[in-house]
Amino acid sequence: MSMHAPDASWLPRRHFSTISTTMSNTLRPYLNAVRATLTAALCLENFSSQVVERHNKPEVEAGNTKEALLTPVVISRNEGERVLIEGSVNAVRVSIKIKQADEIERILCHKFTRFLMMRAESFVILRRKPVAGYDISFLITNFHTEQMFKHKLVDFIIQFMEEVDKEISEMRLSLNARARIVAESVCRWLELAALICMPVVHCVLSADH
């Protein structure tokens, strides 16, 4: 039986064990609230389907048994950054809305989350499609909590939330740097073209006179 948390190798240059020390002061209360709520919601147990015999499906996804569902909880840092935690007796679905300040960050966030969701099997608990209104979703079932350490699952999601903003910010800085280099190259090319064309234009004007 495997006792390892999902793969976090996509997070470069940072250590998984330094979550609490690297957490910014402004982000700390928000992530602490998510951690406490998610830890409380991960009290899962095996629950057979009440509709189909010998079936065991995540009730938070199927929604067939209303009494097996818990009240969804939204933890919001601001209008554009929030977490939806939907609990049930045998599964928890966590949906994250990532901060996006402008159109560039929206494009980068979409590309980044799409890249991850296309490789959902490598992350075990990642859904291939997010809940409507959110950028990325995770699904943790009772089978995951039986095979993995619960606190490591929570750490993984908190680590993701902490690092995803940094990754998008770094991608934006890299994009701006590349755009600046391209703009400087175009300007130099236009200046060179102007210097080459200027004598020709001067000669043409002289010939006309």
Side-chain angles (χ1 to χ4, degrees), residues 98 105 108-109 112 164-172:
I98 301 171
E105 289 192 359
L108 291 174
C109 179
F112 185 62
V164 68
D165 288 341
K166 297 178 183 178
E167 293 297 327
I168 292 177
S169 297
E170 288 178 3
M171 285 191 291
R172 175 165 185 164

Side-chain angles (χ1 to χ4, degrees), residues 2 56 64 74 76 89 93 100 154 170-172 177 180 200:
S2 173
N56 189 326
N64 294 324
V74 177
S76 179
V89 67
R93 185 167 59 193
Q100 300 158 43
V154 176
E170 288 178 3
M171 285 191 291
R172 175 165 185 164
R180 189 179 301 110
V200 176

Side-chain angles (χ1 to χ4, degrees), residues 135-184:
D135 299 306
I136 196 166
S137 295
F138 298 89
L139 178 66
I140 304 174
T141 68
N142 63 292
F143 299 110
H144 294 140
T145 57
E146 290 170 2
Q147 296 173 1
M148 306 175 191
F149 292 116
K150 184 170 72 172
H151 69 279
K152 288 292 186 180
L153 291 170
V154 176
D155 284 348
F156 174 78
I157 293 178
I158 297 298
Q159 177 79 350
F160 175 86
M161 292 177 61
E162 184 182 11
E163 299 295 333
V164 68
D165 288 341
K166 297 178 183 178
E167 293 297 327
I168 292 177
S169 297
E170 288 178 3
M171 285 191 291
R172 175 165 185 164
L173 291 174
S174 176
L175 179 65
N176 290 341
R178 291 172 62 185
R180 189 179 301 110
I181 293 172
V182 171
E184 291 174 354

